[in-house]
Amino acid sequence: MHVPDGFINAPTSAATGVIAAGAIAVSLRGARRELDERTAPLAGLVAAFIFAVQMLNFPVAAGTSGHLLGGALAAILVGPYTGVLCVSVVLLMQGILFADGGLTALGVNITNMAIVTTVVAYALFRGLVKVLPRTRRSVTVASFVAALVSVPAAALAFTLMYAIGGTTDVSIGKVATAMVGVHVLIGIGEAAITALTVGSVIAVRPDLVYGARGLTQKLKLRVNGELVDAPQAEPEPAPVAARTSHRKVWAAGLAASLVLAGFVSFYASADPDGLEKVAADHGIDKKAEEHAVADSPLADYGVEDVDDARLSGGLAGVIGVGVTVVAGSAVFWAVRRRRSDGTSPSDTTDTTSTTSTTSV
């Protein structure tokens, strides 16, 4: 759903740029509370994994494909504020290095793909885990539903932006119907990828999944007609799987990202994605502009002067994963360091209180 330059007029693009900048500023502040010793090492990897999986367009209908947006996945794994930053880092790398998503439309893309998806998905996710049984399986189910809904929500957000600042005269009703229809199908793929990934991490290190923290319900005892918390039992030793080190999880995630981007991406669908298909069918793309860095040596996810398509795409994918994990890790390291440098004892208490109230 990467919006190119020329789809949305300058005033609307500028307005969404302000919204995106404000959301990123708020997220940088909120991420200080989320980036602890468990979340921080995972955050840069989540950004790289989203970059890799976004290269894997999957067919959803005749002549149409879709790809992961990633907002739901990032929010559930590392927290909503950090999730906004993860997807924003991915979009920035794609726009600057790979000519994917217009530079003047960067605010539009961050608003749609990072902010809307993350906010909608995490709000729904939190609501679901409160009413579902407090089990790991419930987290996976909630992840599926939240990711599914987040994609058509982003499609509706784009339609609203186009109604306000579209550069061609088209029927907004028809655009909305087409966008939501195709992105519900894409949402199923998003939901499957999100649930599979969250479920895989929970199986190995449930404590690393931000949305799965605090799943154990306290036992209640009835004393004199009133329910009270049962005394805490001695904690049981963690299962072997749960003691898997951060380093092993990180290495496995990075290896998976490199394989997906460097090898599996060659077999991705070549059909236009949902937005591209709707734009072509309804005339939205009439005033699309050439990307400002269309002559980038990595434009269109290929390496310049490498003639073999498989090798060119694979190298571009590996480079993208590497750059994204480095950039993302640097951002999150800086945010966490600022928290450590600037946190007073009272701030720590406030942070602990906030974390405990926002945990599942």
Side-chain angles (χ1 to χ4, degrees):
M1 196 188 290
H2 295 78
V3 180
D5 296 321
F7 274 27
I8 306 293
N9 63 26
T12 306
S13 295
T16 57
V18 172
I19 293 171
I24 289 174
V26 172
S27 296
L28 285 169
R29 188 175 184 86
R32 296 178 200 170
R33 299 192 297 269
E34 296 172 348
L35 290 169
D36 55 21
E37 69 282 354
R38 292 174 290 177
T39 306
L42 192 63
L45 177 62
V46 169
F49 183 77
I50 290 173
F51 175 91
V53 181
Q54 283 195 2
M55 294 182 66
L56 308 180
N57 279 49
F58 48 85
V60 295
T64 310
S65 69
H67 63 72
L68 182 81
L69 299 186
L73 176 62
I76 295 165
L77 287 179
V78 294
Y81 294 109
T82 307
V84 168
L85 298 178
C86 282
V87 182
S88 297
V89 167
V90 173
L91 293 171
L92 186 61
M93 295 299 101
Q94 291 171 331
I96 293 176
L97 299 178
F98 297 91
D100 190 8
L103 295 184
T104 62
L106 186 59
V108 173
N109 286 319
I110 289 177
T111 301
N112 278 340
M113 297 176 64
I115 301 170
V116 172
T117 58
T118 300
V119 171
V120 170
Y122 199 71
L124 180 56
F125 173 82
R126 291 287 299 168
L128 288 172
V129 295
K130 286 181 179 180
V131 299
L132 292 172
R134 295 171 66 84
T135 65
R136 296 175 186 174
R137 182 173 297 178
S138 295
V139 172
T140 304
V141 172
S143 301
F144 184 95
V145 177
L148 172 61
V149 174
S150 71
V151 178
L156 278 175
F158 167 79
T159 305
L160 176 61
M161 292 178 193
Y162 201 83
I164 296 171
T167 54
T168 59
D169 185 15
V170 298
S171 170
I172 296 301
K174 291 181 179 179
V175 170
T177 300
M179 283 291 290
V180 172
V182 71
H183 283 90
V184 166
L185 299 177
I186 294 173
I188 296 173
E190 175 108 9
I193 295 169
T194 300
L196 178 62
T197 305
V198 170
S200 297
V201 178
I202 285 179
V204 178
R205 285 290 301 269
D207 60 307
L208 294 184
V209 179
Y210 184 89
R213 296 181 184 179
L215 282 179
T216 305
Q217 287 182 311
K218 293 182 178 180
L219 293 176
K220 298 284 187 179
L221 296 178
R222 188 171 295 278
V223 178
N224 297 327
E226 296 184 1
L227 289 176
V228 298
D229 291 335
Q232 291 281 348
E234 289 296 323
E236 296 181 3
V240 174
R243 296 198 296 266
T244 303
S245 71
H246 286 75
R247 186 173 300 177
K248 289 182 179 179
V249 173
W250 197 92
L254 181 60
S257 300
L258 291 170
V259 170
L260 292 172
F263 177 73
V264 181
S265 62
F266 181 77
Y267 301 97
S269 173
D271 291 332
D273 68 17
L275 175 59
E276 292 171 336
K277 179 65 173 175
V278 172
D281 289 347
H282 294 272
I284 293 176
D285 59 356
K286 289 180 181 178
K287 294 188 179 181
E289 301 172 2
E290 185 179 24
H291 201 285
V293 294
D295 57 351
S296 164
L298 295 173
D300 297 324
Y301 299 94
V303 177
E304 188 177 25
D305 297 329
V306 176
D307 296 328
D308 184 274
R310 185 191 298 268
L311 179 60
S312 178
L315 285 174
V318 169
I319 292 170
V321 167
V323 171
T324 304
V325 75
V326 169
S329 298
V331 169
F332 300 124
W333 177 82
V335 172
R336 190 182 180 208
R337 183 181 180 184
R338 184 171 180 180
R339 168 193 171 181
S340 301
D341 292 345
T343 301
S344 65
S346 60
D347 293 334
T348 303
T349 302
D350 292 342
T351 299
T352 304
S353 175
T354 302
T355 302
S356 64
T357 57
T358 56
S359 296
V360 176

